[in-house]
Amino acid sequence: MFSSNNKISVRQLQILLILDIFGMGITFLPKKMTEFGGQNGWICVILGVVFACICAWISASLAEKFPEDDFVTYVGKIVSKPFAVIITIGFILKIIFSLSMELRIFSEILKQTILFNTPSYVISICMLLVGAYGAVKGYETRGRIAEILIFVIFIPLFIIFAFVASGSDYTNLMPFFEADKKEIFLGGIFSLFTFSGIEFILLAYPYLKNKKTAKKESVKAVVFIGVIMVLITVITISKLGPFDIKNQVWPVLELMNTVELPGAFLERQDAVVMSFWIMSVFIIINAGVYFSSLLSKDMIKKGKNIWYVAVISAVVFFISLIPTDISEIIKITDKIYMSFGAVYIFVIPFLLLIIAKIRKY
């Protein structure tokens, strides 16, 4: 019989982190990295993985000091309640705006590739409803779903990219180490923000059954997904070339749709390939709705979780309708990454950790 204590294991935390980070960022990561480093864009991703591991360690170290407290409570202990409320509101806005743009990107990609005659807002509503339903069920349900989806998503994707890798031209990665060092560094910083989801470590500790190894295992999860991002970037640059990638809006998805699987018995192979990506997007949408509603409830301390989920979902949907086209969506997403992303992945956890150490927590 399943338990219902809303607790998850460290293994489930790892899986959730992997799935929360993977998804939208990878759709345009190779394109952005070639803009910074050309054929050496994969080096930017490696640098981003190093930065991401540092940020994961900082966030886990902070949350580890207050293992039984929710985010609002322990931030209030560190910097007082008024500042905790301000920081929490900013965190909620960061999640909502990021989620809104990711939802819109998802709906636009699906409309352009599979559901040509379906309005993008209908696609957004359907995904939001499914994600919101999962959010209402709690953290333990998220952990159990993730344990299933990790295999459903990654095993087929590994097979697909194995086929792509076997037919790639790795001379497209040459010459090595010719990109400007400043651009490589800036690319590394930008790639860090595609690891959006690391900040959820700040919220997870009260729901863990065993907190002792959570910090080390969280970093391992970031390393795992980081290696996957590096490999996908290398394969994409090798297959398409750095110049062609710059002309693609979603190079990774375009790459996946060109794969010819053996025994072509599927009439819509592209739909099958996209379905694995759609499941990873579900996890992202579910995570965003869950954590933003959780933060809202912890801050207000009134009402049922379902009402917060409903309000957050409605706000996310209407914000997702604001951009007029793909180029505007990408510009807004970049701004969110470089502002809210930087603040909540690194700046605030780092400052809070320093203040907590000074105050001897």
Side-chain angles (χ1 to χ4, degrees):
M1 187 174 180
F2 291 137
S3 63
S4 56
N5 56 13
N6 213 23
K7 294 285 186 178
I8 64 170
S9 65
V10 173
R11 183 189 64 184
Q12 288 173 324
L13 173 65
Q14 283 185 304
I15 295 171
L16 283 168
L17 278 174
I18 290 167
L19 292 175
D20 289 344
I21 294 170
F22 185 78
M24 284 303 178
I26 199 61
T27 57
F28 53 82
L29 180 64
K31 177 182 174 69
K32 286 293 182 182
M33 294 305 98
T34 53
E35 290 175 1
F36 282 103
Q39 73 277 6
N40 296 150
W42 55 276
I43 302 175
C44 300
V45 185
I46 293 176
L47 197 57
V49 175
V50 174
F51 293 154
C53 289
I54 294 170
C55 291
W57 186 88
I58 290 171
S59 293
S61 297
L62 174 63
E64 190 179 50
K65 290 182 176 295
F66 308 90
E68 302 302 328
D69 293 332
D70 61 66
F71 180 80
V72 182
T73 301
Y74 74 71
V75 173
K77 290 179 179 179
I78 297 172
V79 292
S80 78
K81 285 188 177 180
F83 281 109
V85 170
I86 293 171
I87 291 171
T88 302
I89 291 173
F91 204 167
I92 294 169
L93 291 175
K94 185 267 178 190
I95 296 172
I96 287 176
F97 279 102
S98 298
L99 183 58
S100 299
M101 294 304 104
E102 288 172 350
L103 180 66
R104 180 63 182 276
I105 290 171
F106 164 76
S107 62
E108 291 294 334
I109 291 175
L110 217 59
K111 178 178 174 60
Q112 292 176 17
T113 56
I114 299 177
L115 305 176
F116 306 106
N117 298 318
T118 305
S120 58
Y121 68 85
V122 173
I123 300 172
S124 296
I125 290 173
C126 292
M127 178 56 82
L128 260 178
L129 287 175
V130 177
Y133 177 78
V136 169
K137 294 299 180 179
Y139 211 173
E140 185 180 11
T141 300
R142 291 195 71 236
R144 294 187 183 281
I145 293 172
E147 284 185 298
I148 298 170
L149 290 186
I150 189 75
F151 298 104
V152 176
I153 293 169
F154 280 101
I155 291 177
L157 287 181
F158 282 145
I159 294 171
I160 290 167
F161 277 102
F163 280 109
V164 177
S166 65
S168 298
D169 181 5
Y170 293 96
T171 60
N172 284 326
L173 299 172
M174 301 172 67
F176 298 124
F177 310 112
E178 278 205 348
D180 181 82
K181 291 180 180 179
K182 181 181 177 181
E183 289 297 311
I184 291 289
F185 182 76
L186 292 175
I189 293 176
F190 186 91
S191 70
L192 164 64
F193 304 134
T194 62
F195 284 79
S196 182
I198 290 176
E199 63 272 24
F200 294 153
I201 296 172
L202 296 168
L203 313 176
Y205 264 72
Y207 304 95
L208 291 176
K209 296 175 184 175
N210 181 9
K211 301 172 175 63
K212 292 181 180 179
T213 61
K215 179 163 64 175
K216 180 177 69 175
E217 299 305 322
S218 297
V219 174
K220 285 182 180 179
V222 174
V223 171
F224 176 82
I225 196 64
V227 170
I228 291 175
M229 286 184 166
V230 172
L231 290 175
I232 289 177
T233 304
V234 167
I235 292 169
T236 305
I237 295 174
S238 301
K239 183 69 174 180
L240 301 178
F243 300 106
D244 286 344
I245 287 176
K246 292 179 182 179
N247 297 322
Q248 300 278 353
V249 181
W250 321 110
V252 174
L253 297 180
E254 292 291 337
L255 189 68
M256 290 167 61
N257 286 332
T258 62
V259 178
E260 291 294 334
L261 297 175
F265 58 89
L266 299 172
E267 186 176 346
R268 289 298 306 274
Q269 178 179 291
D270 58 337
V272 175
V273 171
M274 289 289 290
S275 66
F276 306 125
W277 174 72
I278 291 169
M279 284 183 277
S280 72
V281 174
F282 157 73
I283 288 291
I284 297 168
I285 302 299
N286 173 252
V289 173
Y290 176 78
F291 283 117
S292 52
S293 60
L294 176 69
L295 282 167
S296 301
K297 185 179 179 181
D298 288 342
M299 182 175 64
I300 298 173
K301 300 188 183 302
K302 289 182 180 180
K304 295 182 178 180
N305 185 49
I306 189 171
W307 299 114
Y308 291 96
V309 170
V311 171
I312 293 294
S313 298
V315 172
V316 166
F317 173 71
F318 286 112
I319 293 176
S320 72
L321 300 178
I322 294 174
T324 56
D325 53 36
I326 288 292
S327 61
E328 187 177 355
I329 297 169
I330 294 174
K331 286 179 182 177
I332 294 173
T333 303
D334 287 349
K335 288 179 181 178
I336 293 171
Y337 278 162
M338 299 301 288
S339 55
F340 277 113
V343 169
Y344 283 94
I345 287 178
F346 175 72
V347 177
I348 284 180
F350 178 74
L351 291 177
L352 288 175
L353 181 61
I354 294 299
I355 295 171
K357 285 183 177 293
I358 291 172
R359 300 191 67 177
K360 299 187 186 302
Y361 279 111

